[in-house]
Amino acid sequence: QVQVAESGGGLVQAGGSLRLSCVVSGTIFSPNVVDWHRQAPGNEREWVARSISGGSTDYLDSVKGRFTISRDNTKNMVYLQMNSLKPEDTAVYYCNYRDARRGYNHVNWGQGTQVTVSS
């Protein structure tokens, strides 16, 4: 059973930065994918960024050039560095893990971490 847990959110002014962390615990197989998603009040959850175990990354267009996803495989950690934050980035941020051995099915969602960007 793989579990994920997010941390690192907070309140920041527009233009500021935050680094979110996602710890993936349990038995991990490669290839795998770790995604960051976010959900703002009244909105559906949306995908934000992806890290594939082979090294590829991808981003939602609105965060390209501002957000960077990275991994520390020795610690089973995935990070989301968020720079130049905007009020519209305010949301609860979630990570999720999928691997080929498990059919790329999402694991249970964690509690998320709140990011609030003030104008």
Side-chain angles (χ1 to χ4, degrees), residues 62-109:
S62 63
V63 309
K64 283 181 180 177
R66 299 189 298 122
F67 290 11
T68 303
I69 190 170
S70 62
R71 293 181 174 225
D72 183 342
N73 289 324
T74 64
K75 298 179 181 178
N76 290 343
M77 296 289 294
V78 179
Y79 304 101
L80 187 67
Q81 177 68 42
M82 306 187 297
N83 299 328
S84 302
L85 282 161
K86 302 177 181 181
E88 51 264 43
D89 295 318
T90 295
V92 179
Y93 283 71
Y94 302 87
C95 64
N96 208 284
Y97 167 92
R98 298 174 285 143
D99 63 48
R101 181 78 67 94
R102 298 180 174 93
Y104 288 111
N105 292 310
H106 283 106
V107 300
N108 290 334
W109 294 95

Side-chain angles (χ1 to χ4, degrees), residues 31 42-43 57 73 106 111:
N43 290 355
T57 59
N73 289 324
H106 283 106
Q111 294 297 310

Side-chain angles (χ1 to χ4, degrees), residues 42-55:
N43 290 355
E44 293 189 355
R45 191 169 298 182
E46 69 172 349
W47 170 80
V48 174
R50 173 166 299 141
S51 171
I52 301 174
S53 54

Side-chain angles (χ1 to χ4, degrees), residues 4-36:
V4 295
E6 307 88 349
S7 63
L11 173 63
V12 64
Q13 290 187 330
S17 298
L18 283 173
R19 189 178 82 155
L20 306 184
S21 298
C22 170
V23 58
V24 182
S25 58
T27 303
I28 294 170
F29 298 105
S30 290
N32 61 67
V33 177
V34 176
D35 292 304
W36 281 97

